[in-house]
Amino acid sequence: MTSLDILAAAVLNGLMSGAVYALIAVGLTLVYGVLHIINFAHGAILSAAMFAAYLAFQAGVDPYVAMVPLALIFFGLGYGLQRLVIGPASHGDDRNILLITLGLSIVIENLLLAVFNSDTRTVDVAYGFSTLDLGFTFLALPRAAAFGVSCLVAVLLWILLAQTDTGKAIRAVAKEKLGASLAGIDVAHIYAVTFGLGAACLAIAACLLLPTYYVHPRVGNAYVLVAFTIVVLGGMGSIPGAIAGGLFVGVVESLSGLMFGESLGQLGIFVIFILVLLIRPTGLFGAKA
């Protein structure tokens, strides 16, 4: 295998990982774009979704089969959390929302620790070590499936936001909350729908991660740290920015791991992150307020 083949393989694997990063970041940036707050419970919800996928597997349901039911369940959970807990408890103050989501994160993580302890768990699926032979490299089948599903979800989300009445209402609330309310849009409902969509994205990402990754009560924190970096790189509230940023970060991580070793794979991500903040603080696709 030539050095060019190794480089191409690293880029390809980076794109596979970056697609899942992008899916997690889309949920985070969607909530920010509409509610204008950072959801500190994002990582804990991802951990809960991975445990839900794990329990489904223990009950005999493949993670890919459980994807749609869990997405619907977590949409409902996200909707309920925003409508029944976060919204009423915040009393319309964004600072309160930040504190509430932080509190929810602590509660969810500790509930997971109480129920599942701190043990690390994995699943053994038949296709876990299956590969696709591309001639110059082998591509892990679960990563290829994750890439395809992530792209499909991104397209469906774009259709929802661009072509449906709910999507138009979400964009209206994101642009001008008071104006949308005066036009007859139920802002509280749209807030809850947006939070639910973010949670559904996490449920799908959890099912895509489970065949190749471990489950732990705090596993979501590492992914959300990368997702937050992606959101800032792409521009706060920009869904195209989150998708492009996720793919870019995946490639940078893969190339950094190739050059500096697997343990330093994320070094390049945060170097790029600092450079972008210095050169273009609004991110690649962000706009000035």
Side-chain angles (χ1 to χ4, degrees):
M1 183 180 288
T2 66
S3 58
L4 189 60
D5 289 337
I6 294 173
L7 188 64
V11 170
L12 192 59
N13 277 286
L15 289 173
M16 301 298 105
S17 300
V20 180
Y21 287 158
L23 185 58
I24 297 170
V26 162
L28 191 62
T29 203
L30 185 62
V31 170
Y32 179 85
V34 177
L35 278 70
H36 303 294
I37 56 103
I38 298 295
N39 176 20
F40 286 116
H42 205 67
I45 294 172
L46 176 59
S47 298
M50 291 190 72
F51 269 106
Y54 173 80
L55 290 176
F57 178 79
Q58 293 298 104
V61 183
D62 186 270
Y64 294 158
V65 176
M67 194 180 304
V68 173
L70 285 182
L72 294 174
I73 290 170
F74 271 79
F75 173 84
L77 288 174
Y79 186 99
L81 278 176
Q82 169 59 34
R83 198 69 189 262
L84 302 176
V85 179
I86 299 173
S90 68
H91 302 291
D93 190 330
D94 289 348
R95 291 171 298 181
N96 290 342
I97 297 178
L98 293 173
L99 293 173
I100 293 164
T101 58
L102 180 60
L104 279 174
S105 173
I106 295 169
V107 168
I108 293 170
E109 282 188 3
N110 280 279
L111 282 175
L112 292 175
L113 282 168
V115 175
F116 298 102
N117 301 318
S118 59
D119 298 335
T120 297
R121 294 169 169 83
T122 58
V123 302
D124 183 16
V125 292
Y127 50 83
F129 294 98
S130 300
T131 58
L132 299 174
D133 187 356
L134 301 182
F136 64 95
T137 188
F138 291 94
L139 187 64
L141 183 60
R143 285 196 171 196
F147 179 82
V149 172
S150 297
C151 291
L152 177 61
V153 171
V155 171
L156 293 176
L157 193 58
W158 176 81
I159 293 172
L160 172 68
L161 294 175
Q163 305 295 329
T164 67
D165 291 340
T166 299
K168 293 172 184 177
I170 289 173
R171 289 188 286 119
V173 171
K175 204 74 174 176
E176 177 51 60
K177 178 177 68 174
L178 180 58
S181 179
L182 292 173
I185 295 174
D186 185 347
V187 173
H189 170 68
I190 294 301
Y191 275 5
V193 167
T194 304
F195 208 90
L197 287 173
C201 287
L202 291 177
I204 295 170
C207 293
L208 297 176
L209 288 170
L210 190 63
T212 57
Y213 208 68
Y214 64 85
V215 187
H216 184 271
R218 292 196 174 97
V219 68
N221 292 337
Y223 279 99
V224 169
L225 180 61
V226 175
F228 180 74
T229 304
I230 292 168
V231 169
V232 175
L233 285 175
M236 302 292 285
S238 171
I239 291 177
I243 295 170
L247 296 174
F248 177 70
V249 161
V251 172
V252 169
E253 181 183 39
S254 182
L255 292 177
S256 297
L258 182 64
M259 290 185 289
F260 306 120
E262 196 68 30
S263 61
L264 295 176
Q266 292 189 346
L267 177 64
I269 297 175
F270 297 108
V271 170
I272 298 289
F273 175 67
I274 293 169
L275 289 175
V276 169
L277 286 178
L278 289 172
I279 298 169
R280 186 175 171 81
T282 57
L284 301 176
F285 292 81
K288 292 182 179 179

